[in-house]
């Protein structure tokens, strides 16, 4: 069984008060859901507050990134161990904004996945192509390369302990969503890459779709056989929309 997973990526949004109100509304709608894993990834500074508020509920919390280093003279960094210690379960790794705006390479992303796994977090490995890469037909090679870089460092068995998020960069925050068929085709390709190493691991790994998932398009995306939930940016800042998306994922629970 692959249980769908929906994570809200708040990015650089949220005040203490707004976060408290958003989490309260999400929690009110999430009571006794067990057909979907749900979590939110607030900015670092808000994480302890959200963890406190969500204690003893089924809302998990994750970081939006972590350092590739364990500890030491790395001003401004937050380590995977620190996230784990305050109670995070997940950490996004290699989000396209981190790759494009903050210079994260495939190799750095692979090191971060490794360190997150060692700390006991579940890394959410984000992959995806640019519009130019899609239009020139290179998207499969690009995404394969992003996966392969991580395989080289952590090995196939570690993919039992992580989540993959396929996020075409041209669909993030743009209102353009990949069609269910486009997304399904890439998810199947990713599973195929993993299957070359270990078919059982490939069947079990959860692959989220991300990129302008909204309340009104989530169900059709999650209905695809290889799409196991979503990584949600903008729509995760509105509890009502986020809950509709979580419900759509719960309804898509599938047995393999
Ligand atoms: P979006 O962001 O839902 O606002 O497109 C998704 C993401 O960046 O994870």
């Amino acid at each position: 069984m692959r249980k769908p997973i929906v994570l809200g990526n708040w990015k650089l949004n949220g005040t203490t008060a707004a976060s408290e109100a958003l989490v309260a509304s999400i929690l009110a709608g999430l009571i006794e859901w067990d057909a979907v894993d749900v979590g939110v990834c607030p900015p670092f500074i808000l994480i302890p507050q959200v963890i406190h508020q969500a204690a003893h509920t089924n809302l998990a919390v994750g970081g939006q990134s972590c350092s590739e280093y364990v500890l030491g003279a790395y001003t401004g960094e937050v380590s995977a161990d620190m996230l784990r210690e305050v109670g995070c379960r997940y950490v996004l790794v290699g989000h396209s904004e981190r790759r494009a705006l903050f210079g994260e390479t495939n190799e750095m992303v692979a090191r971060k996945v490794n360190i997150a796994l060692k700390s006991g977090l579940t890394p959410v490995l984000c992959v995806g192509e640019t519009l130019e890469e899609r239009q020139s037909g290179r998207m499969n090679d690009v995404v394969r390369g992003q996966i392969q870089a991580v395989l080289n460092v952590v090995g196939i068995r570690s993919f039992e302990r992580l989540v993959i998020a396929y996020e075409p960069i041209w669909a993030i925050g743009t209102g353009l969503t990949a069609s269910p068929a486009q997304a399904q085709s890439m998810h199947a390709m990713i599973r195929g890459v993993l299957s070359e190493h270990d078919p059982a691991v490939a069947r079990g790994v959860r692959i989220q779709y991300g990129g302008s998932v909204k309340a009104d398009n989530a169900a059709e995306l999650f209905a695809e056989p290889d799409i196991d939930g979503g990584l949600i940016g903008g729509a995760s800042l509105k509890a009502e929309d986020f809950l509709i998306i979580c419900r759509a994922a719960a309804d898509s629970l599938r047995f393999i």
Side-chain angles (χ1 to χ4, degrees), residues 65-183:
S65 181
C66 67
S67 179
E68 64 181 297
Y69 302 108
V70 175
L71 82 177
Y74 303 104
T75 302
E77 291 286 88
V78 172
S79 74
D81 282 345
M82 290 170 184
L83 292 174
R84 185 72 191 141
E85 196 200 359
V86 295
C88 283
R89 188 174 310 164
Y90 301 103
V91 63
L92 309 184
V93 181
H95 187 280
S96 62
E97 287 150 18
R98 301 293 319 169
R99 293 178 189 260
L101 304 173
F102 301 99
E104 292 192 11
T105 62
N106 277 346
E107 291 66 34
M108 283 168 74
V109 170
R111 286 195 292 274
K112 288 184 178 203
V113 168
N114 195 25
I115 239 159
L117 285 168
K118 286 198 170 124
S119 75
L121 292 168
T122 298
V124 179
L125 167 63
C126 302
V127 297
E129 81 286 356
T130 63
L131 186 58
E132 192 267 319
E133 286 160 348
R134 174 162 286 264
Q135 284 172 342
S136 62
R138 287 184 292 129
M139 68 263 191
N140 285 2
D141 290 345
V142 168
V143 171
R144 176 184 273 274
Q146 291 169 337
I147 300 278
Q148 190 59 51
V150 175
L151 274 171
N152 292 347
V153 172
V154 303
I156 185 67
R157 293 307 298 270
S158 295
F159 278 69
E160 288 174 341
R161 295 187 289 129
L162 57 74
V163 172
I164 297 173
Y166 167 60
E167 299 201 303
I169 295 167
W170 46 273
I172 295 179
T174 57
L176 287 176
T177 317
S179 69
Q182 281 173 323

Side-chain angles (χ1 to χ4, degrees), residues 9 11 95 97 167 171-174 210-214 231-235:
N9 174 11
K11 308 191 181 185
H95 187 280
E97 287 150 18
E167 299 201 303
I172 295 179
T174 57
S212 298
V213 178
K214 305 290 177 204
L231 180 54
I232 320 299

